[in-house]
């Protein structure tokens, strides 16, 4: 291990230079992977836009029935058409999502904590590879707590998922966790996203931060940005816009979609930002327009 004394801060990110090892494949850092991995990644990241809209509804695995997610069986059919990938637990997907939707699935495979505890960082790999294969998962999602108490066990869980996923050509999505006491600085996200990519995660889910271009540039796999706590529709679309403009390959949005006044309109507006490069202002106008249409037809 390198001596950390006298460590120099990283500076040369060459943010304006495209990733150079993509070959003819559209997903960053995946050119050297095998056919099965590429096929699964192509179900998540659209080959025409190279981006993805993931709908996150895995909150119940540690929070119970969060606002907006009380009835997954009623919610998901309203939104699935506008998502490229559904992110959820095996229990939620098996019980409440028709298999005929034929959507890619980012399967939550780590857990171990609940909101009844202060420390949520104690997670391990809990879903077997056999079950992930039976769910036809396009990716395995593993929460990883860098800098928290559960760092070692969650790093081990992530590496375990990468080892098993590689055996069956299922990509792993490393999820950067931010606990109550954890910093949300550019320095932290640079560290965490790069660590997860170096462990072999083929996708990294993280949060937007200042200088996100640097974070995207220094991470050799696609970054997908989480929505985070509910904010106004306008602000959530600005978050999506800034993320895409700064190098994110998509969003993995939950509460800002399903807790929106109009979840269908919101996910369609997010789609326009991610796949069509619509500005946040235009997307908000689009959201208002769709919402008004819905009101008129009710
Ligand atoms: C939370 O634990 C899950 O990983 C969520 O999938 C993630 O935080 C994205 O959902 P939201 O946009 O609501 O933050």
């Amino acid at each position: 291990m390198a001596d950390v004394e006298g460590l120099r801060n990283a500076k040369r990110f060459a943010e304006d230079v495209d990733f150079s090892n993509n070959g003819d494949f559209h997903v960053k850092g995946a050119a050297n992977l095998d056919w099965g991995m590429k096929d699964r990644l192509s179900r998540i990241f659209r080959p025409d836009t190279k981006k993805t809209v993931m709908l996150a509804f895995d909150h119940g695995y540690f929070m119970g029935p969060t606002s907006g997610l009380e009835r997954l069986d009623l919610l998901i059919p309203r939104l699935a058409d506008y998502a490229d990938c559904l992110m959820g637990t095996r229990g939620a997907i098996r019980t409440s999502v028709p298999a005929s939707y034929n959507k890619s699935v980012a399967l939550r495979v780590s857990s171990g904590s609940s909101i009844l505890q202060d420390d949520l960082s104690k997670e391990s790999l809990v879903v077997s590879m056999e079950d992930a294969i039976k769910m036809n998962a396009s990716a395995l999602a593993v929460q990883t707590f860098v800098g928290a108490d559960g760092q070692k066990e969650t790093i081990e869980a992530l590496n375990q998922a990468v080892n098993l996923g590689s055996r069956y050509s299922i990509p792993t999505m490393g999820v950067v966790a931010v606990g109550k006491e954890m910093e949300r600085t550019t320095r932290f996200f640079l560290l965490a996203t790069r660590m997860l990519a170096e462990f072999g995660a083929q996708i990294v889910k993280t949060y937007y931060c200042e200088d996100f271009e640097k974070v995207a540039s220094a991470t050799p796999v696609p970054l997908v940005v989480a929505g985070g706590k509910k904010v106004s529709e306008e602000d959530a679309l600005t978050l999506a816009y800034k993320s895409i403009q700064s190098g994110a390959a998509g969003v993995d949005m939950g509460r800002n979609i399903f807790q929106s006044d109009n979840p269908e309109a919101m996910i369609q507006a997010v789609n326009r930002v991610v796949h069509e490069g619509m500005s946040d202002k235009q997307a908000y106008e689009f959201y208002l327009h769709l919402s008004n249409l819905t009101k008129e037809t009710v």
Side-chain angles (χ1 to χ4, degrees):
M1 188 175 274
D3 183 358
V4 291
E5 280 293 311
L7 202 64
R8 292 188 184 183
N9 282 337
K11 284 191 204 128
R12 297 183 196 143
F13 294 98
E15 298 97 305
D16 47 355
V17 180
D18 284 345
F19 186 70
S20 71
N21 190 39
N22 257 8
D24 60 359
F25 194 58
H26 66 286
V27 180
K28 186 177 184 183
N32 296 332
L33 300 178
D34 65 23
W35 196 94
M37 281 267 184
K38 287 178 168 168
D39 177 63
R40 288 188 168 91
L41 288 167
S42 298
R43 299 194 68 215
I44 299 172
F45 295 95
R46 269 172 50 175
D48 57 340
T49 64
K50 308 181 183 178
K51 301 206 168 47
T52 190
V53 173
M54 290 188 182
L55 174 64
F57 54 92
D58 58 332
H59 306 60
Y61 92 95
F62 73 104
M63 287 185 181
T66 324
S67 166
L69 294 184
E70 296 88 344
R71 287 288 302 267
L72 290 170
D73 59 317
L74 303 180
L75 178 79
I76 305 305
R78 291 163 55 194
L79 305 179
D81 273 355
Y82 311 109
D84 301 300
C85 181
L86 302 176
M87 183 189 184
T89 59
R90 57 181 169 181
I93 293 171
R94 263 207 184 100
T95 56
S96 310
V97 180
S100 55
Y101 283 4
N102 204 17
K103 287 279 165 187
S104 69
V105 163
L107 186 66
R108 156 73 62 180
V109 293
S110 65
S111 70
S113 305
S114 81
I115 46 166
L116 298 178
Q117 301 160 284
D118 279 340
D119 182 4
L120 294 173
S121 72
K122 302 292 185 325
E123 292 206 356
S124 53
L125 191 64
V126 292
V127 174
S128 70
M129 208 46 46
E130 288 75 14
D131 213 26
I133 292 166
K134 284 164 73 178
M135 296 287 302
N136 202 22
S138 291
L140 312 168
V142 182
Q143 191 98 340
T144 314
F145 288 81
V146 173
D149 278 355
Q151 173 171 288
K152 184 168 184 292
E153 60 198 283
T154 56
I155 285 179
E156 281 171 1
L158 174 70
N159 279 282
Q160 223 181 327
V162 172
N163 291 338
L164 293 165
S166 303
R167 195 181 292 169
Y168 302 106
S169 277
I170 306 181
T172 296
M173 178 164 81
V175 178
V176 174
V178 282
K180 266 191 274 182
E181 309 300 330
M182 292 162 72
E183 53 175 320
R184 295 181 182 223
T185 59
T186 307
R187 183 174 153 268
F188 171 74
F189 289 119
L190 274 167
L191 171 73
T193 57
R194 178 63 171 261
M195 283 176 67
L196 271 50
E198 298 228 7
F199 295 142
Q202 289 86 2
I203 309 167
V204 171
K205 176 178 162 188
T206 185
Y207 289 83
Y208 182 75
C209 63
E210 204 179 311
D211 287 330
F212 192 81
E213 298 84 356
K214 292 187 171 57
V215 181
S217 198
T219 312
V221 299
L223 291 183
V224 177
V225 172
K229 68 176 185 211
K230 175 77 176 77
V231 292
S232 70
E233 279 75 8
E234 199 170 7
D235 286 352
L237 290 166
T238 298
L239 170 80
Y241 179 69
K242 283 184 172 169
S243 303
I244 295 299
Q245 294 305 311
S246 315
V251 295
D252 187 6
M253 209 173 249
R255 288 163 287 180
N256 279 294
I257 291 175
F258 60 72
Q259 291 178 354
S260 164
D261 290 339
N262 191 326
E264 289 95 330
M266 187 58 185
I267 193 170
Q268 289 181 72
V270 170
N271 228 286
R272 295 283 168 113
V273 170
V274 172
H275 288 303
E276 296 176 24
M278 194 179 254
S279 76
D280 47 347
K281 304 284 171 260
Q282 288 171 316
Y284 184 56
E285 290 300 317
F286 178 69
Y287 165 78
L288 292 177
H289 170 69
L290 285 184
S291 297
N292 287 334
L293 282 184
T294 321
K295 273 185 212 145
E296 281 165 21
T297 52
V298 172

